Amino acid sequence: MSPSECDTTSPSSLESDNNTVSFTASTKDLEDIKEEIGNYLEAIGDGFFATSGAIPTAVNPGLLLKGLGKIGLPLSERDAKDIAKISREAPFGKGTEKLVDKSVRKTWEIDPTQVEFRNPQWPKALQYAVSKTVEQLGVLGGESSVRADLHKLLLYNEGGFFKTHRDTEKAPGMFATLVIMLPSEHE
C-alpha cells in the first residue's frame, strides 16, 4: 500500500472538523506505512539537510547591474549605497501573498533581469558550488538532475536580516535554495 492510499476494508476511521484531521488505523496498516516510509528513506541515501562551504576556485563573477554598471568586489560601502538606490525592499511570501514587513525581513532586492555575471569563469565556479551541494545533500540523480536559476540578487545592509523561514517554491520542482555570498567590506 502506498502512503497515499488507504485500505478501506481494514478497521480504520477518519474524523475531521474545521481544524484537525485524525486517522485511526489497525496495527497492520501502521506497519505497512512504517515500511513504506522506511523504503522512501532508504532511497534518499546519505546526505544532510543543509550544507555550506567555500568555493576554492572562486573568481570575481564580473557583476554588472543595469543602471549602475560594473560592481567591484569586495563590495564597498559606496557601491552598496548605489545598489540600494536601484533596489526595492524585498518582500516575503505568505501563502499566495507577497508582503513587505521589516520585522520579518529587512533587505533589498534586484530582479534577475537587471543582473549579469560577465566573467566567463563564473559558470564553472557556480557549477562547482552546485555539484558540492548536490553531493552533500545526497540528491538522487546527482548534479545532472539539478540546475541553479538566479531568482534575485539580495543586498543586506548593516542590521539587515530575514527571520527563519521556509522558502516558497519559485519554480516547479524546486527543492532547495542555493545562497552564494559575494565578498564585501565589513567589520
Side-chain angles (χ1 to χ4, degrees):
M1 178 183 325
S2 77
S4 62
E5 297 175 316
C6 177
D7 179 0
T8 56
T9 62
S10 65
S12 61
S13 65
L14 180 64
E15 297 177 23
S16 174
D17 62 26
N18 290 337
N19 299 318
T20 61
V21 174
S22 62
F23 180 73
T24 307
S26 70
T27 305
K28 180 166 180 355
D29 289 338
L30 293 175
E31 291 305 316
D32 289 345
I33 292 169
K34 286 179 185 177
E35 183 178 344
E36 277 297 314
I37 291 171
N39 291 340
Y40 286 125
L41 291 174
E42 282 182 31
I44 291 172
D46 294 331
F48 298 97
F49 172 76
T51 185
S52 65
I55 303 173
T57 58
V59 296
N60 184 322
L63 178 61
L64 183 127
L65 299 178
K66 292 181 182 164
L68 283 183
K70 291 181 184 178
I71 303 297
L73 295 176
L75 184 65
S76 67
E77 187 175 332
R78 178 183 49 93
D79 282 345
K81 287 178 181 178
D82 288 343
I83 291 170
K85 289 177 188 174
I86 65 163
S87 302
R88 66 174 182 243
E89 288 182 298
F92 65 94
K94 187 172 185 179
T96 57
E97 293 183 82
K98 289 194 175 201
L99 308 169
V100 173
D101 180 344
K102 290 182 183 179
S103 70
V104 175
R105 182 178 201 177
K106 186 178 174 191
T107 187
W108 300 95
E109 74 176 21
I110 296 179
D111 188 85
T113 61
Q114 304 300 103
V115 179
E116 291 182 39
F117 298 105
R118 292 277 180 96
N119 185 337
Q121 297 302 309
W122 179 247
K124 185 177 178 181
L126 178 61
Q127 188 55 44
Y128 174 86
V130 170
S131 176
K132 291 307 280 183
T133 301
V134 165
E135 176 187 322
Q136 292 174 3
L137 294 180
V139 176
L140 296 176
E143 71 180 273
S144 64
S145 65
V146 175
R147 71 173 197 273
D149 297 324
L150 179 63
H151 179 64
K152 63 180 98 175
L153 180 74
L154 295 175
L155 173 67
Y156 285 86
N157 289 341
E158 185 176 346
F161 66 92
F162 195 178
K163 285 188 175 179
T164 302
H165 66 287
R166 179 179 175 188
D167 263 354
T168 54
E169 188 174 297
K170 295 166 182 69
M174 178 182 159
F175 68 93
T177 299
L178 177 66
V179 176
I180 296 181
M181 295 173 33
L182 298 176
S184 62
E185 296 174 357
H186 59 80
E187 295 179 22

